[in-house]
Amino acid sequence: MLLPLLLLLPMCWAVEVKRPRGVSLTNHHFYDESKPFTCLDGSATIPFDQVNDDYCDCKDGSDEPGTAACPNGSFHCTNTGYKPLYIPSNRVNDGVCDCCDGTDEYNSGIVCENTCKEKGRKERESLQQMAEVTREGFRLKKILIEDWKKAREEKQKKLIELQAGKKSLEDQVETLRTVKEEAEKPEKEAKEQHQRLWEEQLAAAKVQREQELAADAFQELDDDMDGTVSVTELQTHPELDTDGDGVLSEAEAQALLSGDTQTDATSFFDRVWAAIRDKYRSEALPTDLPAPSAPDLTEPKEEQPPVPSPPTEEEEEEEEEEEAEEEEEEEEDSEVQGEQPKPASPAEEDKMPPYDEQTQAFIDAAQEARNKFEEAERSLKDMEESIRNLEQEISFDFGPNGEFAYLYSQCYELTTNEYVYRLCPFKLVSQKPKLGGSPTSLGTWGSWAGPEHDRFSAMKYEQGTGCWQGPNRSTTVRLLCGKETMVTSTTEPSRCEYLMELMTPAACLEPPPEAPTEDDHDEL
Ligand code: CA
Ligand code: CA
């Protein structure tokens, strides 16, 4: 506000002080028409009538302030109503209006309109506007500072509360962990017991199947049905050949009978069956491969060795129970398979029956304890995150008085012809094609980056998406005083280095005290 007034002062005097054309008020005392003129650089002294005689006498051009005679001279426009100005003397009478008061074109035939008053008015207006913005911005800044002070205190309180809460939640988690572990013990035991029983059943069923197979084979082999299988009888099965010549010799057959000449059913199973079961082909099967004929479909004979047992009651039950089991299957499978790989056998027979009521009750109880424990653990994690966030926010450098804190959880966008730029202060800057596409990072928060005496006038965002064969993108955000908060421009002054301008009240400096004369009409 003071500036326009000060500008006016010399202009008032200027009218009164007589001086040669093109001489500034500051220099007028060098030009005393009652004395010879000494060039301002002291290079020569000349009679005063050689000043502005359109002939250059002084090396520094100081004798021709009002003409174009000296190549290095300069002409001073008073520009009453606006700002005084020096122009190079070659612009004097060059046909172009350089001074707003038109005094540089006094002898060129060009008529220059005096635009100084208009320019001065516009300048004063814009200065006033700027001053108004600064005043209002600074007023808002003080509010921002107060707001953050309060918010910070509240956040600190909240932090203390959370820290206290965390302690008790930690205790709770530990209690629930113990409860869970206690509940898992009987669960584990019951499940293991169940598993063991199931495996025993499987093993028993397997033994029984083998016994049945062996019994069937024995019956087949015992051609004369005398209750024993003899060497001769065994020899009717050449597939049992052991030396690979395709014939089961007497000696080979006897060897298979453990050196005996015959065997009864019991020792057949105990001593012979295991040695021949893999080679033995039942006479009931006409070909090597199981022929899928209509009656065969009812019996599971696909396996090698064949298992010609009709579905027992047990198996039928199992099939009925299959559906009920499927829900648990995944869980059980992983445990069962993890512990012991199973031989490839019919899937239905591998399926463990559902848990009994007591075991299921243990599982349910343990699951409930697990759920509670996990829920508490999640709450604790959430709380720890809240604490971390609060601690970070409270200790963040938001400017000398925290005036920039309000930007912390905000984002601002600027849309250009091609891109949408997004600034989330203290976090990141990104650029996204206007017509869709994924955003490119132009950097994440690095530090305050203004010059040493004005550190908070700029921010630096670093380590954005790498440029092809170039550096990682980065952005400098310049902070400008304004009443509102908005991104006003984005440019890329050098490759992959972006410059963004953010207008914010927080960047407004305290305005100078207003001139007393203007107090009356500037009062809010
Ligand atoms: Ca001269
Ligand atoms: Ca001119």
Side-chain angles (χ1 to χ4, degrees):
M1 285 292 87
L2 272 174
L3 198 55
L5 286 177
L6 286 173
L7 286 176
L8 285 171
L9 289 175
M11 293 177 236
C12 303
W13 298 340
V15 203
E16 294 163 24
V17 180
K18 199 165 178 302
R19 50 197 157 119
R21 190 193 301 280
V23 173
S24 70
L25 184 69
T26 331
N27 284 350
H28 91 274
H29 61 276
F30 295 121
Y31 297 84
D32 183 349
E33 57 182 289
S34 62
K35 294 177 189 166
F37 176 73
T38 301
C39 303
L40 296 191
D41 62 358
S43 58
T45 298
I46 53 172
F48 196 83
D49 59 8
Q50 286 181 25
V51 169
N52 278 344
D53 67 344
D54 208 15
Y55 181 85
C56 195
D57 298 288
C58 296
K59 279 183 190 154
D60 64 354
S62 56
D63 65 311
E64 296 296 320
T67 76
C70 295
N72 55 348
S74 53
F75 179 88
H76 182 261
C77 335
T78 307
N79 289 348
T80 307
Y82 189 54
K83 286 182 254 185
L85 175 73
Y86 277 104
I87 59 169
S89 11
N90 61 5
R91 295 197 186 167
V92 173
N93 292 324
D94 66 346
V96 178
C97 304
D98 294 289
C99 301
C100 64
D101 61 5
T103 50
D104 59 314
E105 298 299 320
Y106 58 89
N107 196 24
S108 64
I110 291 279
V111 179
C112 295
E113 207 182 321
N114 187 331
T115 57
C116 290
K117 257 176 115 174
E118 179 61 16
K119 281 183 114 168
R121 192 180 61 75
K122 278 191 183 151
E123 164 126 325
R124 279 191 299 282
E125 267 178 22
S126 95
L127 283 171
Q128 262 167 21
Q129 264 171 18
M130 273 168 59
E132 200 271 321
V133 166
T134 307
R135 243 188 351 261
E136 177 60 11
F138 189 70
R139 189 184 71 80
L140 293 170
K141 176 178 173 174
K142 284 193 286 194
I143 294 172
L144 290 173
I145 291 171
E146 278 310 301
D147 283 355
W148 172 238
K149 239 167 99 181
K150 279 185 214 137
R152 192 166 182 271
E153 275 167 23
E154 269 163 36
K155 282 172 198 292
Q156 253 154 349
K157 254 188 233 160
K158 179 92 191 291
L159 180 62
I160 291 167
E161 273 172 33
L162 282 177
Q163 277 161 339
K166 184 186 159 194
K167 189 77 200 64
S168 78
L169 192 51
E170 276 170 347
D171 293 346
Q172 205 184 328
V173 166
E174 280 323 300
T175 308
L176 288 170
R177 188 199 303 278
T178 312
V179 170
K180 177 189 83 113
E181 283 167 359
E182 284 307 311
E184 280 174 338
K185 278 178 203 163
E187 180 201 33
K188 185 164 181 261
E189 262 172 42
K191 281 171 88 173
E192 280 172 358
Q193 171 70 9
H194 183 86
Q195 174 75 26
R196 244 189 336 269
L197 277 174
W198 170 234
E199 279 162 12
E200 281 166 19
Q201 272 177 34
L202 278 181
K206 197 178 168 196
V207 168
Q208 197 191 338
R209 267 200 309 278
E210 283 302 310
Q211 277 172 341
E212 283 164 12
L213 284 175
D216 287 350
F218 186 84
Q219 264 185 1
E220 277 179 7
L221 286 165
D222 184 11
D223 290 327
D224 60 4
M225 294 196 283
D226 67 345
T228 62
V229 168
S230 64
V231 166
T232 322
E233 282 167 338
L234 200 56
Q235 279 182 288
T236 62
H237 278 253
E239 78 269 21
L240 300 177
D241 169 35
T242 52
D243 64 6
D245 64 357
V247 180
L248 184 65
S249 68
E250 201 179 322
E252 283 173 313
Q254 200 164 350
L256 285 174
L257 296 180
S258 311
D260 293 337
T261 51
Q262 59 178 49
T263 178
D264 63 10
T266 311
S267 55
F268 176 78
F269 177 71
D270 290 343
R271 296 158 65 183
V272 181
W273 177 242
I276 66 168
R277 78 179 297 287
D278 290 341
K279 283 184 182 168
Y280 183 78
R281 270 206 303 275
S282 169
E283 289 153 20
L285 289 171
T287 54
D288 286 3
L289 295 168
S293 56
D296 278 351
L297 283 178
T298 58
E299 297 178 0
K301 284 182 182 172
E302 300 96 303
E303 293 83 29
Q304 200 75 328
V307 189
S309 58
T312 60
E313 268 179 44
E314 218 177 59
E315 278 170 336
E316 273 169 10
E317 261 173 49
E318 274 170 25
E319 274 168 37
E320 278 165 29
E321 285 156 0
E322 257 178 61
E323 280 179 30
E325 258 177 57
E326 255 158 19
E327 284 171 27
E328 292 161 17
E329 211 178 299
E330 280 181 35
E331 214 183 314
E332 307 313 327
D333 275 357
S334 61
E335 279 174 33
V336 171
Q337 286 170 355
E339 279 161 22
Q340 52 191 92
K342 296 213 158 176
S345 47
E348 303 92 69
E349 292 180 3
D350 272 350
K351 286 208 179 124
M352 190 158 59
Y355 292 116
D356 60 89
E357 219 168 283
Q358 181 58 60
T359 305
Q360 192 55 50
F362 281 136
I363 293 172
D364 292 347
Q367 191 53 47
E368 200 190 331
R370 272 192 290 274
N371 291 347
K372 279 185 178 161
F373 165 71
E374 280 160 17
E375 194 185 325
E377 218 181 23
R378 266 196 303 280
S379 304
L380 179 59
K381 278 199 182 109
D382 289 349
M383 187 179 266
E384 283 169 340
E385 204 194 330
S386 303
I387 289 174
R388 267 198 308 280
N389 290 344
L390 270 178
E391 281 173 342
Q392 196 184 30
E393 193 175 348
I394 287 170
S395 61
F396 209 95
D397 185 0
F398 288 127
N401 298 296
E403 54 267 54
F404 294 101
Y406 81 105
L407 297 170
Y408 188 63
S409 42
Q410 307 292 319
C411 291
Y412 303 91
E413 286 188 351
L414 177 73
T415 304
T416 64
N417 288 338
E418 270 184 274
Y419 296 106
V420 178
Y421 291 91
R422 187 174 166 84
L423 165 66
C424 302
F426 307 112
K427 300 203 171 74
L428 56 93
V429 185
S430 69
Q431 173 200 54
K432 203 170 93 175
K434 204 169 158 185
L435 300 173
S438 48
T440 301
S441 167
L442 303 186
T444 50
W445 168 253
S447 58
W448 290 104
E452 203 160 322
H453 65 278
D454 196 11
R455 219 159 54 84
F456 300 101
S457 61
M459 299 165 158
K460 185 85 183 172
Y461 294 80
E462 300 159 320
Q463 295 298 317
T465 309
C467 272
W468 189 72
Q469 288 192 339
N472 287 83
R473 288 173 175 80
S474 65
T475 304
T476 299
V477 177
R478 246 185 233 150
L479 301 166
L480 307 176
C481 166
K483 288 193 267 191
E484 290 163 71
T485 305
M486 59 194 287
V487 175
T488 54
S489 77
T490 307
T491 52
E492 192 181 352
S494 60
R495 194 165 159 255
C496 309
E497 288 180 18
Y498 295 79
L499 179 64
M500 199 176 241
E501 287 184 327
L502 178 71
M503 204 162 88
T504 158
C508 293
L509 298 175
E510 183 163 12
E514 287 164 43
T517 49
E518 297 204 353
D519 268 2
D520 42 344
H521 59 256
D522 276 342
E523 203 89 61
L524 288 171

